[in-house]
Amino acid sequence: MTPLHRGGVIGVLGGGQLGRMLGHAAEQLGYRVHVLSPRPGPATQVTPDHTLADYEDEAALARFADAVDVVTSEFENVPASAAAFLAARVPVRPGPRALATCQDRIAEKTFLREAGIPTAPWGEAHGPADVARLAETLGRPCVLKTARFGYDGKGQAMVKAGTDPADAWATIAGHAPDAAGVVEGWVDFSWEASVVVARGLDGHTVCYPLVENRHRDHILHETLAPAPRATPDVAARAQALAERVAQALDIVGLIAVELFVGADGDLRVNELAARPHNSGHWSMNGARVSQFEQCIRAITGNPLGDARAIAPTRMVNLLGDEVLDRDRWLRDPDAHLHDYGKDEVRPGRKMGHVNIVQRG
Ligand code: AMP
């Protein structure tokens, strides 16, 4: 297995903050990055080589494929057709099957069921009658989620006692172009967690510590790494589960596994993301090797780095105008500010994050 040579070009699908941070990590290791994105964004600001084109533009995809040595993605919803088109020309890591599985909740949950990995009880919904039937079998409250294109709680509707399941369907129908969704039974979890795992070309895996995620209004607010309330047993089981997911999906690169942790330490997978993950941002200052460098190492066939924490670290997302309060963080000697350079400040928009590393 020969690693990608120095000066090799990594193609990144997507122009957001994850692409920007992947770009920084790639550059540190002596690689060049070429971003493909429909519009300028945080990643194209820092990557002189980029293609602004739609993911369906095959002429642009062909030029992009010619310009790069390996492709990875930072954008969840790269069309399957684009991933397949590129994979016929250049290595795409993680590959089209992993991308397709993680961008559709039905495919994702079916994969997890077949792999014997616990999730919330669930069923497929293609109309209001399915929602009503599943609300009967799964009990209320339950939650209807669009199969595709949902994020940060968007495209979701609760079915509570006394409410009409048809109303839930009507709420998400606008977000579900193919009118497909899943209904999940309510999980009475104790806390939320995630594990980022890297898998190299040789199938070797390296896990980051289990972290605790706290949300506000369905958006990740902060991550505590390593998870202060994880017992060694819970952490080991979560990591083993993440490794199984990475093996079963044949990941080369990173996959993040989001989990619900029950009061007695039982684990259920909520979601998968085959890319660097917001809950892994703490690793930029709190781990020996950041998730972005790790991703670059994995997809270029280099040895994986040490994913252990160097100190307990708290990552706080800066949403909307919180990014303007930068002085507070720049004056704090334990804080590391990461600003994504987005021009337009919108409420709830992820504008940056801060890593606060506990002093030894
Ligand atoms: P998701 O978009 O699937 O990550 O869901 C967003 C958030 O909603 C999760 O982080 C949980 O806090 C909550 N949630 C989602 N699904 C369930 C469920 N089945 N039971 C309880 N809470 C849930």
Side-chain angles (χ1 to χ4, degrees):
M1 191 178 72
T2 318
L4 179 63
H5 57 88
R6 292 179 59 236
V9 184
I10 297 166
V12 176
L13 298 171
Q17 62 265 23
L18 302 176
R20 179 184 179 102
M21 294 183 275
L22 276 172
H24 288 143
E27 176 197 51
Q28 178 202 326
L29 295 183
Y31 293 120
R32 296 176 66 94
V33 169
H34 188 128
V35 164
L36 182 124
S37 166
R39 61 193 72 81
T44 56
Q45 285 175 11
V46 303
T47 49
D49 299 327
H50 50 258
T51 298
L52 297 180
D54 284 338
Y55 299 110
E56 279 88 9
D57 180 344
E58 291 200 344
L61 287 175
R63 285 198 306 277
F64 174 70
D66 283 345
V68 304
D69 296 298
V70 58
V71 170
T72 194
S73 52
E74 67 97 67
F75 171 62
E76 192 90 86
N77 292 309
V78 172
S81 56
F85 182 91
L86 291 170
R89 290 159 176 79
V90 63
V92 176
R93 299 173 180 157
R97 182 172 81 92
L99 298 183
T101 304
C102 298
Q103 61 189 210
D104 182 307
R105 289 188 200 266
I106 298 172
E108 186 174 276
K109 285 189 154 55
T110 304
F111 155 75
L112 291 165
R113 180 165 59 203
E114 285 167 1
I117 291 169
T119 61
W122 68 281
E124 248 178 76
H126 297 275
D130 290 339
V131 183
R133 177 180 50 79
L134 287 162
E136 284 295 309
T137 53
L138 299 171
R140 299 182 186 215
C142 55
V143 56
L144 170 65
K145 302 179 179 179
T146 55
R148 296 172 61 85
F149 306 117
Y151 66 98
D152 291 343
K154 293 191 176 65
Q156 298 192 13
M158 296 275 292
V159 184
K160 295 184 183 156
T163 64
D164 185 349
D167 291 343
W169 183 261
T171 310
I172 73 145
H175 293 274
D178 50 357
V182 296
V183 179
E184 290 179 19
W186 195 249
V187 179
D188 195 15
F189 58 80
S190 169
W191 51 288
E192 292 188 76
S194 56
V195 177
V196 173
V197 57
R199 186 163 175 273
L201 265 176
D202 59 358
H204 177 63
T205 54
V206 173
C207 267
Y208 282 88
L210 180 68
V211 300
E212 175 174 346
N213 298 320
R214 297 179 178 171
H215 296 83
R216 262 193 205 163
D217 301 328
H218 293 283
I219 302 175
L220 182 65
H221 169 56
E222 60 179 11
T223 294
L224 306 178
R229 28 181 165 172
T231 61
D233 168 63
V234 166
R237 282 189 290 112
Q239 290 180 321
L241 202 144
E243 281 173 347
R244 263 170 66 202
V245 170
Q247 301 283 5
L249 278 178
D250 199 20
I251 295 291
V252 176
L254 300 187
I255 186 158
V257 179
E258 291 182 42
L259 299 152
F260 297 138
V261 187
D264 55 0
D266 58 304
L267 301 173
R268 289 171 192 264
V269 171
N270 176 34
E271 272 199 305
L272 307 175
R275 52 167 171 75
H277 195 254
N278 196 168
S279 71
H281 290 0
W282 68 276
S283 64
M284 295 173 82
N285 305 99
R288 290 173 187 237
V289 165
S290 82
Q291 64 165 348
F292 298 102
E293 178 177 338
Q294 193 77 304
C295 181
I296 298 298
R297 286 175 178 239
I299 64 169
T300 54
N302 279 292
L304 298 181
D306 186 344
R308 283 177 296 175
I310 49 178
T313 302
R314 183 164 74 100
M315 187 284 310
V316 182
N317 267 340
L318 301 178
L319 303 178
D321 58 13
E322 286 167 0
V323 75
L324 304 178
D325 194 14
R326 45 196 286 135
D327 260 22
R328 168 183 169 198
W329 301 112
L330 291 170
R331 286 179 201 289
D332 180 342
D334 299 331
H336 301 263
L337 174 69
H338 300 268
D339 186 323
Y340 308 149
K342 294 180 183 177
D343 296 329
E344 196 190 337
V345 179
R346 286 198 302 265
R349 191 177 195 203
K350 289 178 181 168
M351 303 297 296
H353 70 269
V354 181
N355 289 331
I356 303 123
V357 183
Q358 192 176 304
R359 278 198 226 205

